[in-house]
Amino acid sequence: SPVLDVARDYRWGRVEETMGEDPYLVGTLGSAYVRGLEGAGIVATLKHFAGYSASRGARNHAPVPMGPREFADVILPPFEMAVRLGGARSVMNSYSDVDGVPAGADRELLTGLLREQWGFTGTVVSDYWAVAFLDIMHRVSPDRATSGAIALEAGIDVRVVPGPSAV
């Protein structure tokens, strides 16, 4: 926690986890949430970086058909606020792809923007299936080992592994 996805389409199956449709409101609430957790010694993990809630047709895991300006104006502000104002120490990447680039393979997003521009020094963790989805769903990799290498190169520090019932 917290989920900083900005609600874009109320058909999206995870909209009940969001804090709303206004980026400033989500950023303000999210930053306060992070300060509360971090102040209590709990590491806050910002989710889902970034674009997950803006998927085509509000389908879970669908591509995000959004240009860079809207992405920067609507999707990114809550995350930037929670990093800069809230002091978040962990970020979880999104499953989605924006303009054909999966978040788990996006060095510009995870390293260039998050670390170099915003000054984030914490840990980037994968969502459960994010690394596997690079070869299974996004098809940017021929196999799991290559997916892992791509994710590491992009800026993911820790792979969260699904439970024992997952293949």
Side-chain angles (χ1 to χ4, degrees), residues 79-128:
F79 292 96
E80 183 177 11
M81 290 172 72
V83 166
R84 293 184 189 256
L85 305 175
R89 293 185 286 161
S90 179
V91 171
M92 178 180 282
N93 75 290
S94 167
Y95 281 141
S96 59
D97 69 78
V98 178
D99 199 23
V101 181
D106 193 343
R107 189 176 196 315
E108 187 176 314
L109 178 70
L110 299 177
T111 299
L113 180 69
L114 181 63
R115 292 193 185 280
E116 294 168 5
Q117 287 184 35
W118 294 353
F120 179 74
T121 59
T123 304
V124 177
V125 299
S126 72
D127 206 338
Y128 285 103

Side-chain angles (χ1 to χ4, degrees), residues 148-160:
I150 289 170
L152 281 170
E153 177 66 26
I156 292 179
D157 299 308
V158 177
R159 176 179 170 229
V160 177

Side-chain angles (χ1 to χ4, degrees), residues 1-113:
S1 287
V3 172
L4 297 182
D5 296 306
V6 176
R8 301 297 289 162
D9 185 332
Y10 284 97
R11 297 175 297 169
W12 186 53
R14 297 184 70 174
V15 79
E16 78 282 354
E17 296 177 52
T18 71
M19 294 184 199
E21 61 188 18
D22 179 81
Y24 181 74
L25 173 67
V26 174
T28 300
L29 292 173
S31 295
Y33 192 115
V34 168
R35 282 192 303 274
L37 289 176
E38 295 285 348
I42 299 167
V43 176
T45 300
L46 311 180
K47 298 167 54 171
H48 301 90
F49 191 64
Y52 195 30
S53 61
S55 59
R56 180 171 291 143
R59 294 185 342 261
N60 203 20
H61 302 221
V64 175
M66 184 177 287
R69 181 175 178 162
E70 184 179 9
F71 193 71
D73 288 350
V74 176
I75 301 302
L76 296 177
F79 292 96
E80 183 177 11
M81 290 172 72
V83 166
R84 293 184 189 256
L85 305 175
R89 293 185 286 161
S90 179
V91 171
M92 178 180 282
N93 75 290
S94 167
Y95 281 141
S96 59
D97 69 78
V98 178
D99 199 23
V101 181
D106 193 343
R107 189 176 196 315
E108 187 176 314
L109 178 70
L110 299 177
T111 299
L113 180 69

